[in-house]
Amino acid sequence: MLIKILIICVFVHNLAIASTLSKNALQLIKIGHEISSRDVTLRGQYFLLKSAFDLGDFDAMYEVSKQVRYGSKLMGYVPLERVANEILINLVRKSYDPALYEYALNLLDGSDGFIKNEFLALHLFEESFKVHGNAKSALMAAIICNESLVPGAKRLNYINELITFAILNNVAGAQAYQNQYIRLDYLSDLNPPNWRIWVDTQVLN
């Protein structure tokens, strides 16, 4: 039954509204796992699904996708990558910013069931930056362009615009990247084995 409800969430087309219900639901799920209570966790999951399905809350749908992706040992739910990806892509089509950023990172690494596609990743990071003002996306777009991961994307003025926006918004790793890989571009290239790990390990200067 739960799986059917999760799949239905993929096709929700309501206008999203922020919901305190989803925040409370996540808190219940967290507490349920901390105290190993299936009842508390199940109640949290019920409210999260209600917020996603009945209220069309994009934040709740995004959290549902993460719950589905990782599964739950406590509740006996196995990870469902395909369903999680369907929900994520549906949110991307609605230009939901956290999904744009998440999906773009997956495409950059070719992870979580997605085939590597730097061109589409750049497009999504740019949409996230231009439409939503996401400074983390500005940094990633600057990197893709500067490292020439997408042919023809290396435009210095555009790269400087992106990296400056990221620096002004205190994105971890932005200043260091500018100093090492843009100003000294002729000395080295950035090619981490995993972009998500690289992002997660950056710190503010």
Side-chain angles (χ1 to χ4, degrees):
M1 182 62 182
L2 176 65
I3 303 306
K4 290 181 180 178
I5 296 174
L6 293 173
I7 293 173
I8 289 172
C9 286
V10 178
F11 302 104
V12 173
H13 294 288
N14 297 347
L15 182 65
I17 57 175
S19 170
T20 56
L21 183 61
S22 62
K23 295 177 183 177
N24 293 336
L26 289 172
Q27 188 64 23
L28 281 173
I29 293 171
K30 179 182 178 183
I31 292 172
H33 279 87
E34 287 175 350
I35 65 176
S36 298
S37 171
R38 290 173 59 90
D39 289 340
V40 173
T41 303
L42 186 61
R43 190 159 184 81
Q45 290 176 335
Y46 167 77
F47 285 127
L48 186 63
L49 289 169
K50 184 176 181 63
S51 182
F53 185 68
D54 291 348
L55 300 180
D57 183 342
F58 286 1
D59 291 336
M61 291 178 69
Y62 182 61
E63 291 300 331
V64 166
S65 76
K66 290 195 287 186
Q67 299 277 327
V68 174
R69 184 176 303 283
Y70 298 113
S72 171
K73 290 184 179 179
L74 175 64
M75 302 304 294
Y77 301 146
V78 298
L80 296 170
E81 187 176 80
R82 182 184 63 80
V83 175
N85 289 346
E86 287 176 1
I87 297 172
L88 187 67
I89 291 172
N90 184 260
L91 290 170
V92 166
R93 291 186 181 126
K94 299 176 189 300
S95 193
Y96 175 71
D97 191 45
L100 290 172
Y101 182 78
E102 180 77 13
Y103 185 30
L105 269 182
N106 286 338
L107 291 171
L108 203 55
D109 279 325
S111 60
D112 286 345
F114 294 105
I115 298 173
K116 181 179 287 192
N117 187 331
E118 290 97 341
F119 178 82
L120 182 54
L122 175 59
H123 172 75
L124 295 172
F125 282 131
E126 287 178 325
E127 180 180 346
S128 174
F129 162 61
K130 293 175 181 177
V131 176
H132 304 283
N134 188 325
K136 293 191 298 182
S137 290
L139 171 60
M140 296 311 299
I143 290 173
I144 291 173
C145 293
N146 191 61
E147 300 299 326
S148 297
L149 300 183
V150 174
K154 190 161 185 173
R155 293 167 286 155
L156 186 58
N157 288 340
Y158 181 51
I159 292 170
N160 285 332
E161 174 191 346
L162 291 167
I163 197 68
T164 300
F165 185 80
I167 291 169
L168 290 175
N169 284 276
N170 297 314
V171 176
Q175 184 68 68
Y177 182 81
Q178 182 188 54
N179 293 341
Q180 185 172 356
Y181 295 102
I182 294 180
R183 290 176 178 165
L184 302 176
D185 182 50
Y186 56 91
L187 293 180
S188 60
D189 295 323
L190 177 61
N191 186 30
N194 184 288
W195 284 102
R196 188 181 298 277
I197 293 175
W198 181 86
V199 168
D200 291 342
T201 54
Q202 297 310 296
V203 296
L204 285 171
N205 296 341

